[in-house]
Amino acid sequence: MGHLHPGRLERPELTERELSHILLHTHFTRKQINESFVRFHTHYPNGQMNFSQFCDLYSPELKHLQYPRPLLERLFQYVDTDKNGWLNFKEVLFFKAITMDETDPYD
């Protein structure tokens, strides 16, 4: 996901193809995608989020549940589309897109 420019030690950038795919399948703007990409790589410099980090991010939204872990485990497995045990930017962004009120995944 994304690529590094040769000789530069900066965070990766989304390719035009990756951006186009996300734009086509979500209601996010190019600016929103780029800002989210920068935030994601700021918090997860290796470009991936593990289950513990996923729980840290989404547990507060499930605080009304007495035992949120089983739901978080299912959600993580659902979002981990390549089944490698890690979530990349695209997986997290698509999960965000389908859980946002203003996004209609059936468009």
Side-chain angles (χ1 to χ4, degrees), residues 14-105:
L14 285 172
T15 65
E16 190 57 39
R17 182 177 179 184
E18 291 166 331
L19 252 171
S20 296
H21 179 79
I22 295 168
L23 286 166
L24 180 66
H25 295 287
T26 70
H27 292 274
F28 293 121
T29 66
R30 181 177 291 266
K31 182 180 180 200
Q32 289 171 317
I33 295 166
N34 283 322
E35 288 173 352
S36 293
F37 188 77
V38 168
R39 270 193 315 276
F40 184 85
H41 281 276
T42 298
H43 291 286
Y44 313 103
N46 70 347
Q48 299 179 324
M49 173 191 295
N50 63 32
F51 177 69
S52 177
Q53 293 165 322
F54 180 79
C55 289
D56 291 344
L57 187 61
Y58 288 102
S59 287
E61 294 189 37
L62 301 174
K63 63 184 173 201
H64 62 285
L65 299 175
Q66 188 173 2
Y67 301 106
R69 187 171 175 100
L71 178 57
L72 287 165
E73 288 171 353
R74 276 205 212 128
L75 286 171
F76 186 87
Q77 291 170 0
Y78 175 76
V79 176
D80 183 15
T81 58
D82 60 8
K83 305 302 178 205
N84 68 353
W86 293 87
L87 302 181
N88 62 37
F89 170 73
K90 200 164 142 183
E91 290 169 326
V92 172
L93 190 68
F94 276 99
F95 177 64
K96 184 177 179 181
I98 64 171
T99 58
M100 290 177 61
D101 290 337
E102 65 270 11
T103 302
D104 182 2

